[in-house]
Amino acid sequence: MRPDNRAPKPDAPVFEGAERLQKVLAAAGVGSRRACEDLIFRRRVTVDGRVAKLGDKVDPATAVIHVDGERLQVDVRLVYVAMNKPRGVVTSMADDKGRNELAEFIGNRVEQRVYHVGRLDADSEGLLLLTNDGTLAHKLMHPSYEVLKTYLAEVVGPIPRNLGKRLLAGVELEDGPVKVDSFKVVDTLGKTAQVELSLHEGRKHIVRRLMDEVGHPVTRLVRTSIGPIRLGELRTGRIRRLTNAEVAALFHAVGD
């Protein structure tokens, strides 16, 4: 009988400081260790693209873990925060002109140093994401990933019936064309209208410039969602940590 010279299939690499996979999953809020062991046994967990097995150890700082195809963030050093930015606050952690800034609202409620994902101008308000996950932040801001942002805007009315079609078809601005992904009139009151529009553009003051171009200047602008994350009932000036499910949804939105 000829000897089997085939090399054995390698196990998952073990790194210094690695921990049992079920412990890492449980710490990330997936469930109890017993429940996480069951997920691994049922081949519902992958690590770095490989189906995990009981006994695997992983480094939470570097492992890319998916459960049922959804990316799970297990690095406890990374934080993800939603904020309802008030009007008049500058999207900056340190403003050299002495204006109100984000750091005044975050204070010591977040131990890690975080950075804003994209911007809202000082006169705009609403949802702002903050994180120290630079890779995800870059993807959320880059137009190629087409992450939708939704805004509620008060504009000068009245709104003509064909405005939605015009915005969906595209409007030429000085730095190139822009079109919305959706548009609807929410309410009208005299010469003022409230409209909702979604777009994946990230150019500076894009909503204000767009509505100016079509003859309906914005008098108030509130961002209500970024991808799957919604402003909801978060009060002005408050922050909250994103849930594990919300973080997973952000990864899904950028294809991770």
Side-chain angles (χ1 to χ4, degrees), residues 44-56:
R44 294 168 59 184
V45 182
T46 63
V47 178
D48 298 330
R50 179 189 61 84
V51 176
K53 65 179 187 300
L54 290 172
D56 281 353

Side-chain angles (χ1 to χ4, degrees), residues 84-88 120-127 150-157 191-197 207-208 211-212 216-224 231-232 234-237:
N84 186 346
K85 187 190 87 66
R87 190 171 188 171
L120 277 176
D121 62 70
D123 290 331
S124 299
E125 54 198 289
L127 182 61
T150 300
Y151 299 84
L152 195 62
E154 288 184 2
V155 301
V156 175
K191 294 183 178 180
T192 300
Q194 191 175 74
V195 300
E196 181 185 84
L197 62 162
V207 175
R208 293 182 183 277
M211 296 308 293
D212 277 345
H216 300 279
V218 172
T219 57
R220 184 186 179 192
L221 185 64
V222 182
R223 184 159 63 197
T224 57
L231 183 63
L234 186 62
R235 294 196 296 176
T236 300

